[in-house]
Amino acid sequence: MWERTHEGDKRRSEADRKKCLHHIAGSKEWIVEGVHYTWVNESFNEADLIIFLDTHYLKRIWFIIKRYVLQKAKIEKANYAPTFSIFINMFQWNSDFEKQSRLKILHILRTSNNDKFIIVKKREEIEHFIP
């Protein structure tokens, strides 16, 4: 989605994103984040394993708060300026994910990728599936 530059992050064009995704999905080993499911879903077909990390809504709120505090304290690295505006947007994005995107992603995965799709509730559970 983003191109990291010395001047800051730059949003990639749709054509550039598709080119990058095609290159990544053609690699031997790769991981993509599915929150951008509207344009990365073509990579789902190429995946050997799809892990849907289905953490509880309130836990994600805690992660948002913790990340913001750690980034503001410069304890955790951020690829963007951790502004209060972005902090507030994170809560809206989390809510939108819970109410809309989550269900759409699960529907896509259950419909066309059921044989290689698993749901985990905790990060620790992922270790059982990745060697």
Side-chain angles (χ1 to χ4, degrees):
M1 181 67 151
W2 301 100
E3 180 180 1
R4 308 269 185 231
T5 69
H6 293 307
E7 295 82 36
D9 291 352
K10 184 176 91 175
R11 186 182 289 267
R12 294 181 190 275
S13 69
E14 183 177 343
D16 200 17
R17 286 193 319 248
K18 279 189 170 198
K19 182 180 174 186
C20 289
L21 182 63
H22 182 72
H23 176 74
I24 290 166
S27 302
K28 183 178 180 210
E29 295 177 339
W30 50 272
I31 297 173
V32 296
E33 179 182 7
V35 73
H36 301 290
Y37 70 96
T38 56
W39 64 272
V40 299
N41 65 0
E42 65 186 61
S43 69
F44 296 166
N45 296 329
E46 302 298 320
D48 296 328
L49 175 64
I50 300 171
I51 300 172
F52 186 85
L53 181 55
D54 195 16
T55 53
H56 192 276
Y57 179 73
L58 295 176
K59 193 170 200 175
R60 292 194 311 266
I61 287 176
W62 165 244
F63 288 150
I64 291 167
I65 295 167
K66 181 179 172 186
R67 172 186 277 176
Y68 179 73
V69 169
L70 292 175
Q71 288 176 343
K72 289 302 275 185
K74 303 206 183 293
I75 296 169
E76 181 177 303
K77 184 181 182 289
N79 289 317
Y80 53 86
T83 64
F84 187 71
S85 174
I86 290 176
F87 178 61
I88 297 303
N89 283 340
M90 293 279 188
F91 293 104
Q92 184 61 53
W93 296 329
N94 187 39
S95 177
D96 291 346
F97 176 79
E98 187 68 20
K99 294 175 184 172
Q100 300 166 11
S101 304
R102 181 180 169 276
L103 298 173
K104 289 177 183 177
I105 294 168
L106 286 169
H107 175 74
I108 290 168
L109 295 175
R110 286 183 173 129
T111 307
S112 58
N113 297 287
N114 205 24
D115 58 326
K116 56 187 172 184
F117 160 62
I118 58 168
I119 297 174
V120 296
K121 298 285 186 182
K122 298 177 182 175
R123 293 178 184 200
E124 300 81 30
E125 295 175 35
I126 294 173
E127 295 173 9
H128 299 289
F129 301 100
I130 299 177

